[in-house]
């Protein structure tokens, strides 16, 4: 026990929070972020199950284990380690062996592990049947069980099933708790259903279920990703007013929210509050501050923060270098971006696909087609296949320069290759053809989206509006704007500016301004006119 406590202290103190988010949240009984200590036998079993995919071979080998509590604990610890690495298939193999073939008596942790693994593999039916097996085995389901089941449904987009979990809990005398609500909010936010996640947050409070630091951090992250840092800050203030103490993840989420809006001074304020709270900044905190300077257009300020984190003994990771690449690229300093990229190679840090994409973006801003094409060729020589982001960047570059033939070649390669076009791909095409005055081609691409199971977003609609706005076709712009609203897509500041640019008279400007102000009032969206 003394060794375990020392081991726990060593990890928490020396890693500076680098394990946060990797541990158990639901159904474990283990401390979040703490790696279990594995015996030599357990390590051997772990290596075997990680490399062996044949179910019969795994089960035959496990059959040789003596049915003692020691080996049972070893198996649980192995599955915890597998979970930390998000290796769901080996977890399923071991859990199913325990349940179907071994003489070990399964407990709720084993069932919870299996529900979790099936949920992460998007196999909600198996997760559901495992829950029913748990009840049949007269094993008492915990709030963790329901949290994991609910999260499995959310991952699969089955919100009606998720709601049914609450009824199931009440049926078994388990009141919905913070753990369950947190799992619900987490599942919805990861399923990109931010609106519903925020609704559940409000419901949680209405039902007098006290939010935790984790709850508030998730909500701050949701608003941050939607570029609504002002709302994230409101949640941060509410958290403090309720005497809920922010943790390092909360401060980082708040800094990231300001970073996405390029508000580096606000991010700095949170950075100072974090330190005043006695917390030591880790690489995630520094990266958030780097991002804030990058998005605000201060690459040299970002470089100072990068130097500071090194002086403070915090080692930059790949994300840190990518942020610096982006900082120089956004500012049009392609030489700085190239220097960062070269430094990664010099230090033995393998540039990621994102690193290459950011370097391409830096040269793309200059219109340097030759250099961009060289980087794509380097990708192929390195054995990497350009992803959708890289191809979209090249698509945008060719379109911007009016090289439509090359643009069409990239599109054809995407349609026939492993990197399928996404909504951003078609947004680029709609914007390019609209700016060039090829309205029929623009409309053809827009109408094709439904056949590709893609839903137009605010960028799609705004780009389409831009094609007509450039020609001062005010009435057509108003028609498209109304179409956009009817489809459930609401405008942003960019939409407002494009709509205003279509106006040719003071009366039209007044009419558009009135419409936008009405939308602002109804949707509570901020439109910077």
């Amino acid at each position: 026990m003394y060794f375990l406590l020392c081991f726990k202290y060593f990890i928490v103190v020396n890693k500076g929070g680098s394990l946060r988010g990797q541990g158990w949240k639901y159904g474990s009984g283990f401390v979040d972020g703490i790696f279990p200590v594995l015996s030599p036998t357990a390590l051997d079993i772990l290596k075997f199950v990680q490399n062996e995919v044949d179910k019969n071979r795994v089960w035959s080998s496990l059959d040789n284990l003596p049915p003692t509590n020691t080996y049972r604990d070893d198996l649980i610890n192995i599955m915890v380690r597998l979970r930390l690495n998000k290796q769901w298939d080996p977890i399923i193999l071991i859990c199913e062996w325990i349940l179907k073939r071994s003489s070990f008596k399964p407990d709720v942790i084993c069932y919870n592990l299996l529900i979790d693994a099936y949920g992460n593999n998007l196999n909600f039916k198996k997760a559901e049947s495992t829950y029913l097996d748990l009840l049949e085995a007269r094993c008492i389901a915990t709030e963790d069980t329901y949290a994991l089941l609910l999260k499995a449904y959310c991952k699969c987009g089955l919100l009606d099933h998720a709601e049914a979990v609450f009824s199931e809990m009440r049926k078994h005398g388990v009141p919905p708790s913070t753990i369950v609500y947190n799992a619900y909010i987490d599942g919805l936010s990861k399923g990109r259903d931010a609106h519903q996640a925020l609704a559940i947050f409000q419901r949680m409070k209405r039902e007098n279920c006290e939010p935790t630091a984790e709850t508030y951090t998730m909500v701050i992250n949701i608003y941050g990703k939607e570029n609504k840092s002002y709302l994230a800050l409101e949640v941060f203030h509410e958290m403090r007013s309720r005497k809920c103490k922010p943790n390092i993840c909360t401060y980082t989420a708040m800094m990231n929210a300001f970073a996405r809006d390029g508000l580096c001074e606000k991010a700095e304020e949170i950075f100072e509050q974090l330190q005043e709270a006695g917390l030591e900044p880790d690489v995630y905190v520094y990266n958030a501050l780097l991002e804030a300077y990058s998005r605000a257009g201060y690459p040299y300020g970002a470089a100072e923060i990068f130097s500071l984190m090194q002086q403070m003994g915090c080692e930059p990771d790949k994300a840190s270098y990518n942020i610096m690449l982006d900082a120089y690229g956004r500012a049009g300093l392609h030489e700085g971006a190239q220097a960062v990229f070269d430094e990664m190679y010099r230090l033995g840090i393998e540039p990621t696909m994102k690193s290459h994409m950011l370097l391409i973006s830096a040269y793309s801003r200059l219109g340097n087609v030759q250099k961009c094409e060289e980087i794509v060729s380097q990708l192929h020589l390195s054995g990497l296949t350009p992803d959708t982001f890289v191809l979209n960047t090249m698509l945008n570059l060719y379109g911007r320069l009016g090289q439509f033939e090359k643009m069409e070649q990239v599109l054809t390669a995407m349609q026939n290759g492993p990197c399928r076009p996404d909504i951003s791909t078609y947004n680029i095409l709609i914007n390019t053809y609209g700016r060039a005055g090829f309205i029929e081609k623009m409309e053809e691409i827009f109408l094709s989206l439904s056949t590709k199971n893609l839903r137009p977003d605010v960028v799609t609609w705004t780009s389409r509006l831009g094609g007509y706005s450039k020609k001062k076709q005010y009435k057509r712009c108003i028609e498209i704007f109304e179409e956009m609203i009817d489809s459930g897509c609401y405008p942003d500041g960019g939409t407002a500016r494009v709509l205003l640019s279509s106006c040719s008279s003071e009366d039209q400007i007044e009419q558009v301004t009135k419409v936008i102000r009405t939308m602002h009032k109804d949707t509570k969206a901020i439109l910077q006119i």
Side-chain angles (χ1 to χ4, degrees):
M1 184 67 180
Y2 174 76
F3 173 76
L4 183 58
L5 288 171
C6 291
F7 179 75
K8 186 187 302 183
Y9 176 82
F10 174 80
I11 287 180
V12 173
V13 172
N14 289 282
K15 290 292 183 182
S18 63
L19 292 178
R20 56 185 178 160
Q22 294 184 36
W24 283 78
K25 292 183 192 295
Y26 323 109
S28 65
F30 292 96
V31 180
D32 187 29
I34 304 301
F35 284 88
V37 180
L38 299 185
S39 68
T41 303
L43 283 170
D44 289 339
I45 297 171
L46 175 64
K47 289 176 186 175
F48 174 71
V49 296
Q50 282 177 320
N51 297 315
E52 182 56 66
V53 293
D54 187 285
K55 173 181 172 180
N56 293 325
R57 282 177 58 82
V58 172
W59 281 19
S60 296
S61 297
L62 293 176
D63 285 342
N64 296 320
L65 290 178
T68 64
N69 287 336
T70 300
Y71 283 106
R72 181 197 170 281
D73 291 344
D74 277 342
L75 291 176
I76 295 295
N77 285 336
I78 288 165
M79 288 189 284
V80 172
R81 182 71 70 89
L82 290 167
R83 186 185 184 280
L84 290 169
N85 294 324
K86 298 183 178 181
Q87 293 177 291
W88 310 114
D89 291 337
I91 293 175
I92 291 169
L93 279 177
I94 296 173
C95 280
E96 286 189 340
W97 175 81
I98 291 173
L99 294 172
K100 297 179 180 178
R101 189 149 155 172
S102 79
S103 57
F104 293 119
K105 185 178 179 182
D107 62 8
V108 70
I109 291 180
C110 183
Y111 283 109
N112 286 355
L113 277 160
L114 193 52
I115 292 170
D116 190 28
Y118 280 136
N120 279 288
N121 270 358
L122 303 181
N123 194 336
F124 77 91
K125 288 187 177 179
K126 284 279 191 178
E128 196 173 67
S129 65
T130 301
Y131 166 71
L132 296 174
D133 289 342
L134 178 153
L135 296 179
E136 193 175 328
R138 299 185 181 277
C139 199
I140 298 174
T142 64
E143 58 185 13
D144 296 321
T145 311
Y146 294 110
L148 291 166
L149 185 59
L150 193 149
K151 200 171 178 185
Y153 287 138
C154 286
K155 275 182 172 286
C156 297
L158 301 168
L159 299 190
D160 53 339
H161 286 60
E163 281 295 327
V165 171
F166 285 91
S167 301
E168 185 72 8
M169 290 180 73
R170 294 187 182 95
K171 186 173 99 176
H172 291 280
V174 182
S177 65
T178 302
I179 286 176
V180 176
Y181 273 113
N182 282 357
Y184 203 180
I185 294 168
D186 188 32
L188 289 167
S189 63
K190 285 178 179 172
R192 298 185 179 180
D193 194 342
H195 178 76
Q196 185 64 16
L198 294 170
I200 296 301
F201 173 62
Q202 296 302 330
R203 187 171 103 188
M204 177 183 186
K205 292 188 289 185
R206 283 197 307 272
E207 295 187 1
N208 297 316
C209 190
E210 197 64 31
T212 62
E214 184 186 355
T215 319
Y216 284 113
T217 300
M218 287 190 289
V219 175
I220 289 168
N221 268 323
I222 290 169
Y223 281 128
K225 288 173 183 176
E226 293 187 338
N227 294 99
K228 295 177 180 176
S229 58
Y230 62 99
L231 292 178
L233 187 59
E234 282 184 17
V235 174
F236 187 68
H237 289 324
E238 177 191 313
M239 176 184 188
R240 289 183 143 181
S241 69
R242 288 185 175 228
K243 309 298 181 188
C244 183
K245 187 177 179 181
N247 57 32
I248 194 167
C249 296
T250 316
Y251 286 109
T252 308
M254 197 62 244
M255 288 176 67
N256 276 323
F258 284 131
R260 287 188 180 93
D261 286 342
L263 301 172
C264 54
E265 288 183 6
K266 291 288 187 183
E268 270 188 8
E269 287 176 17
I270 301 297
F271 182 76
E272 290 170 6
Q273 290 177 28
L274 178 152
Q275 292 176 302
E276 288 167 3
L279 297 169
E280 185 178 346
D282 61 9
V283 69
Y284 301 104
V285 173
Y286 282 113
N287 284 352
L289 199 53
L290 282 173
E291 187 75 39
Y293 275 96
S294 171
R295 297 215 181 196
Y298 299 124
Y300 298 118
E304 286 181 17
I305 298 299
F306 189 87
S307 178
L308 173 66
M309 70 188 288
Q310 290 176 308
Q311 290 171 25
M312 298 302 293
C314 183
E315 195 66 30
D317 59 8
K318 286 185 180 181
S320 312
Y321 285 97
N322 283 343
I323 294 168
M324 287 306 305
L325 266 170
D326 194 31
Y328 286 119
R330 281 173 184 267
L333 302 171
H334 66 282
E335 291 179 353
Q338 185 68 61
V340 172
F341 191 84
D342 294 341
E343 180 71 0
M344 291 178 75
Y345 267 117
R346 190 185 71 79
L347 295 172
I349 301 171
E350 189 70 28
T352 62
M353 183 66 73
K354 186 175 182 180
S355 309
H356 288 87
M357 185 268 286
L358 291 169
L359 189 61
I360 290 171
S361 295
Y363 283 107
S364 172
R365 285 184 174 89
L366 293 174
N368 192 333
V369 175
Q370 183 181 348
K371 187 62 180 178
C372 291
E373 289 176 342
E374 282 177 14
I375 297 167
V376 173
S377 297
Q378 286 173 10
L379 269 173
H380 286 292
L381 292 173
S382 301
L384 297 171
T385 303
D387 62 11
T388 302
F389 293 106
V390 170
L391 295 174
N392 280 349
T393 303
M394 294 302 296
L395 195 78
N396 192 39
L397 172 62
Y398 291 136
R400 234 176 45 237
L401 298 177
Q403 298 182 11
F404 297 113
E405 187 176 340
K406 283 190 173 182
M407 187 177 74
E408 291 288 350
Q409 287 173 359
V410 173
L411 178 63
T412 302
M414 292 178 77
Q415 290 171 333
N416 297 330
C419 299
R420 309 297 293 176
D422 58 10
I423 190 63
S424 296
T425 310
Y426 292 104
N427 287 348
I428 292 166
L429 293 170
I430 289 168
N431 184 51
T432 299
Y433 284 121
R435 280 191 292 107
F438 299 131
I439 300 298
E440 287 185 9
K441 185 67 175 175
M442 179 188 78
E443 288 290 1
E444 179 189 326
I445 293 167
F446 180 83
L447 293 172
S448 73
L449 293 178
S450 58
T451 65
K452 297 174 172 64
N453 294 318
L454 291 172
R455 182 182 174 84
D457 59 17
V458 66
V459 177
T460 321
W461 287 103
T462 303
S463 297
R464 186 183 177 206
L465 272 170
Y468 291 101
S469 175
K470 194 174 176 65
K471 293 178 176 292
K472 295 293 182 180
Q473 294 187 18
Y474 171 73
K475 288 185 178 179
R476 182 64 180 132
C477 284
I478 291 295
E479 289 172 0
I480 292 172
F481 184 75
E482 289 174 351
E483 265 185 71
M484 175 183 180
I485 303 305
D486 290 342
S487 74
C489 183
Y490 293 95
D492 62 9
T495 316
R497 286 189 289 274
V498 170
L499 197 57
L500 282 168
S501 70
S502 70
C503 299
S504 303
S505 67
E506 289 296 325
D507 287 345
Q508 289 176 350
I509 291 172
E510 187 178 342
Q511 184 182 358
V512 168
T513 304
K514 185 178 179 181
V515 169
I516 292 171
R517 282 177 178 163
T518 304
M519 285 297 303
H520 167 61
K521 184 178 178 181
D522 292 345
T523 65
K524 309 215 180 283
I526 289 184
L527 297 175
Q528 298 173 351
I529 303 171

